[in-house]
Amino acid sequence: MGKLMLWSLRNAKLVIIVNVIITLIFGYYALQIRVDSSTEGMMIDGDPAKDYHRDTVRKFGSDNITVVFVRDKNLFTPEKLKDAESVYYDLKDIKFEPKDPEEYVKAKDPEEYLKIKYPAAYAQLSQNPDEYAKLAKNPEEMGKLVADPEAFLKPKYPDKYKDLLKPNTAVSKEEYKNLIQEAVGRIGKPGVGRCESLFSVTNFKGVSGGLETNPLMDRAPDTVEEAKRIQADAMKSPLFMNSLVSKDGQMTAINLYIDVDPTEPEFHTNLSKKVDEVTAKYQAKFDRVFQFGNSYGRRNIGENIITDQARIVPLSCLVLIITIIIALRNFGAGIMPMITAGSSVIWTFGFMVLAGIPLNVLTVIVPSILLVIGSTEDLHMMHEYLESIEETNGNRDLSIKIMSGKLGLAVLMTSITTVVGFASIMYNDISMLVQFGQVATFALIVNPLSTFTFGPALLHHFGPTKVRKHEAKVHFIDGLFKGIANGTLALVNNPKRRIIIIVTLSVLTVAMFAATFLVKVNNDFMGYFKADSEIRKRSDTLHVELAGAQTFFIRINSGMPGTFKQAEYLSQVAALQQFMAQKGWFDKTESLADRVALIHREMNNGDKKFFGIPADSNLISQYLLFFQRDEISRFVTPDFSEVSIMVRHNVSASYEIAAILEELQKHMQKNVNPNFKFDFTGEYILINKAAESLAINSVTSLALTLFIVFLCMYFLFWSFKAGTISLVPNIFPIIAIYGVMGLLDIPLNVGTAMVADIAIGIAVDDTIHFMNRYKQAMQELQDSKAAVAAAVHDEVRPVVCSSIALAGGFAICAVSNFIPVIQFGLLSSAVMIIAIVGELLITPILLQSTQLITIWDMVGLKLQDAVIKTAPFFEGLRPWQRKKVCLLGRMVEKDAGEKAVVQGEYGKSMYLLLEGQADVIGRDEKTGQEITFAKLNPGDIFGEIALVEPGPRSADVRAVEPVKYLEIDWEGLKRIQNVYPRIGGKLFLNLSRILGQRLVHTNAMLFGKT
């Protein structure tokens, strides 16, 4: 990154122009972004259960229902029923033209589309009636045929598939268009496909030993008496109670079964608005009229997504600008991050359009997350730039060069770890989370590129140059950070306080870890909305007045035609419904058994004790003749081999419904014919099923994130210990936040599932900066305590400010309309604050016992052959081990004529000459003239006596030419032994040999003099 920043500095104008062009191109596409309000993204991607659900819809009809509720205390009066009749007919007539008629026919009736589009292929396939019949009965295979006819037909007819795929040339374009329109007419236009209300249902009523099968109302009554009779009949029927009419007789429901237009993304919004248009005309005529259902829910999601976008992004910008300006006390420092992050947001929106990823409940918060996270690197960068401006007295370019040298490696690693944190979210089965991971990963790849290209270019032209005046009176913000740094060091440097910190944090970690087992998993659709939202209020009203808004189906398949005309097996369905009613889990269940039981009751003069399945199967067959096919099509297949029970309920938590279904499944295994197959399905089931994989995916992705971060840090510092140190202070806030979730009963959902991965990816950034600064300080100071102090003082401002900025940015999500987003924002905010504790207390304690070098340092350090081959101090060490020793010590450079050692100065270090030549010089006590005692070449050591016996230096060491040498003291040698015991052992052995040789040489000189 350092080289990239320097390149951007040299080509500032080009960088700005290219960034502007890229932003304009992506901006063009960004304007085409679409909103996805479907529930598909909440489900498991590629789940086979989706096919089972589609098969259920094909067999038993659409489960896409919109319910219009009409409430009035005088509902069953001629006037109100006439108004309700008008509502019914107005709603029944809601239809739309397909957005793309050809694609509509293709999606709704693939066989019809095949006949029109590829008549030759249809003729060929239908020559084998049995094979074609199987194909026609399998909508999935038929769908594959029309989606990619070449792939389907080529293996079957390799010689003539091209002829079979020729379009219908027997008709003109206009005729072809008419054929498509005729097909649309046969299929039915999208909109309300079927309307069920008190005006459309049959009133089965026993009269004088017979059975009347008249409509409950073929039209609104004219008299009060008629209205009361209708009310009595409606409230007597168990089929209508809590479904079409409330127990108090003051509310009725109109159920709209919707035929969706799959070619129109805005279909559900348009339908919901059209229903509102109809009901708006009758608001004044009833106490209350409102709609609820799938389309209304999707419309709410879409509108809330737009509202969230308009709220969260501007507030995130405002919070971050204010935080950075206050922290760095510079207006320009707050504006520049918004420019780089803002361009990244535009690039991200453009990418979403190109990749076909829409704005949904989760991707809508990516821009604000990008602003939040992107600004943290800007903050570190601007902090170093402003510090360098003081050093260079306002020189922009030189300040940028210093900044790039200090930050290059650190920002590269922080970018990698952040991207890893978000990319791990893609390791998931839930479509919405995968899309979020894809978008966020792209955003966090391009944002550093923008920051470290666009940023230096902008600083080159517009960067602040004002140097702060160091007055005697310290600014209160500077004083605050200095106080935090001093307080931190007072805690971590005091042995007793350090023990208290370690014990306290350990106890808290264990306690919070225990609390994590209280966390529950929830992916309930209604749980996405606030308790006081209109959609939740309507759902609760429905639950109290009629039956819950949430539905699913229980399918029981015998595999044998006529099975459920038999009393034994239909009784099992009735018994299952009775079991569920006794448990009180659900508000209402409906099936074929209800209808047969009602007929049986009415055929026995309405006696309640006869409301059940008759023992005679022949009687059941006779009762079924009273029904029109469309009256029972939702509950049984035409051949009576399979039945469906529709369940309406208000169970709001995934873990609750999972427990219920588990118990229900066990009951069915014991009480339903063991040869029958059964399962539960519906959009509600598919959404809640995703909760099962949510916990597994969360743990797996978190483990993957931790492992990758560990590997990054291990290879960066080439140390297992460094990898561990980088994780410890960042695991603590994760455990703490999951503990908080368990204690506060906050569930694991699509929002909170992201917190851990994102927090690790972000929080470790500060750790990397801290460790990098500590490494630099250690190389310079060669004192771990002093290096920790330097790192704390240098990093306290960016660490605290970035964490607060992140916390504030995430907390903005609290204004969202979606509960998972709110919980994600607040928990992420809490993690950022807790991470400050880990960074300022845990990291310094761990670093005091280690020393760091990076792989880049190892690669970048070049040692002369003489040092590698002949240096006695390095004897027995491999080249990479010699480099480690040099990097763990302090390397000093001197120009020709400068002194490395001054005679008479106190010293405690020894030196190893790495480059250049130097002379060891003393003075004649009598004449005062300089005497050259020895000439030093690369590989030679000097000053080694002071290492074991600190004291005044006995001679000068002066550079003959520019030199570079390694300085190392006794503490440094012990640190090397602690970090790398084998290397340390060899160094001590070599040092003892050198000192021994020096002793022998000295004795020889003394003996010679004697």
Side-chain angles (χ1 to χ4, degrees), residues 512 515 518-519 736-747 823 827 830:
M512 286 300 182
L518 301 175
V519 177
I737 213 63
Y738 273 122
V740 169
M741 288 172 62
L743 294 173
L744 298 183
D745 199 26
I746 299 172
Q823 292 171 337
L827 289 173

Side-chain angles (χ1 to χ4, degrees), residues 699-711:
V699 173
T700 306
S701 63
L702 177 58
L704 179 64
T705 302
L706 291 171
F707 178 68
I708 295 176
V709 168
F710 171 81
L711 286 181

Side-chain angles (χ1 to χ4, degrees), residues 20-281:
V20 170
I21 292 172
I22 293 174
T23 302
L24 290 174
I25 293 172
F26 276 108
Y28 168 77
Y29 288 104
L31 295 173
Q32 304 170 38
I33 198 162
R34 65 183 177 88
V35 176
D36 179 19
S37 57
S38 72
T39 55
E40 283 284 319
M42 303 174 191
M43 303 174 189
I44 297 174
D45 193 25
D47 187 357
K50 289 183 180 180
D51 294 334
Y52 186 73
H53 174 243
R54 282 190 284 267
D55 183 61
T56 302
V57 171
R58 182 177 64 85
K59 286 184 177 180
F60 299 103
S62 174
D63 63 345
N64 194 317
I65 305 172
T66 290
V67 186
V68 175
F69 302 92
V70 179
R71 183 174 182 79
D72 196 280
K73 57 181 175 295
N74 298 313
L75 179 63
F76 281 95
T77 61
E79 297 78 10
K80 296 298 180 182
L81 288 175
K82 285 177 182 177
D83 290 333
E85 183 181 24
S86 298
V87 177
Y88 165 70
Y89 282 108
D90 286 351
L91 292 171
K92 187 178 180 181
D93 293 337
I94 294 177
K95 293 287 185 183
F96 299 92
E97 291 294 331
K99 184 176 183 179
D100 186 332
E102 185 174 351
E103 288 298 317
Y104 180 76
V105 174
K106 183 178 178 180
K108 288 288 187 178
D109 193 340
E111 184 178 10
E112 186 73 18
Y113 177 79
L114 181 67
K115 291 178 184 178
I116 299 171
K117 183 73 173 180
Y118 305 109
Y122 171 73
Q124 179 67 47
L125 290 168
S126 57
Q127 286 181 7
N128 188 333
D130 293 338
E131 186 177 334
Y132 183 76
K134 291 180 180 178
L135 176 64
K137 289 180 180 179
N138 189 331
E140 298 300 321
E141 286 300 308
M142 185 62 79
K144 290 178 183 177
L145 167 58
V146 298
D148 191 351
E150 182 176 340
F152 189 91
L153 295 172
K154 188 175 180 179
K156 292 178 177 292
Y157 312 103
D159 297 329
K160 57 180 178 179
Y161 76 92
K162 290 183 179 179
D163 293 330
L164 298 177
L165 291 175
K166 289 181 179 178
N168 191 348
T169 56
V171 297
S172 65
K173 289 184 178 180
E174 191 62 32
E175 289 173 327
Y176 180 78
K177 185 177 179 180
N178 290 335
L179 288 173
I180 291 293
Q181 289 296 340
E182 289 173 9
V184 170
R186 288 191 294 273
I187 295 168
K189 293 181 178 180
V192 177
R194 180 166 165 259
C195 191
E196 180 184 74
S197 78
L198 294 176
F199 295 92
S200 66
V201 294
T202 301
N203 181 30
F204 297 102
K205 187 176 182 180
V207 178
S208 302
L211 185 72
E212 285 186 358
T213 57
N214 298 320
L216 180 65
M217 283 187 285
D218 52 0
R219 61 180 179 79
D222 296 319
T223 65
V224 173
E225 290 74 17
E226 245 187 308
K228 295 301 179 185
R229 178 189 59 76
I230 291 168
Q231 180 181 11
D233 287 348
M235 297 186 70
K236 182 183 177 184
S237 172
L239 304 186
F240 305 153
M241 282 300 297
N242 293 334
S243 176
L244 295 177
V245 65
S246 61
K247 292 178 181 178
D248 62 4
Q250 295 183 10
M251 176 180 273
T252 186
I254 302 172
N255 298 324
L256 310 178
Y257 293 84
I258 307 302
D259 290 330
V260 179
D261 181 0
T263 69
E264 172 55 87
E266 297 298 315
F267 173 79
H268 289 283
T269 298
N270 295 337
L271 176 79
S272 181
K273 288 181 177 179
K274 188 66 177 177
V275 172
D276 272 352
E277 286 179 22
V278 171
T279 57
K281 297 186 295 184

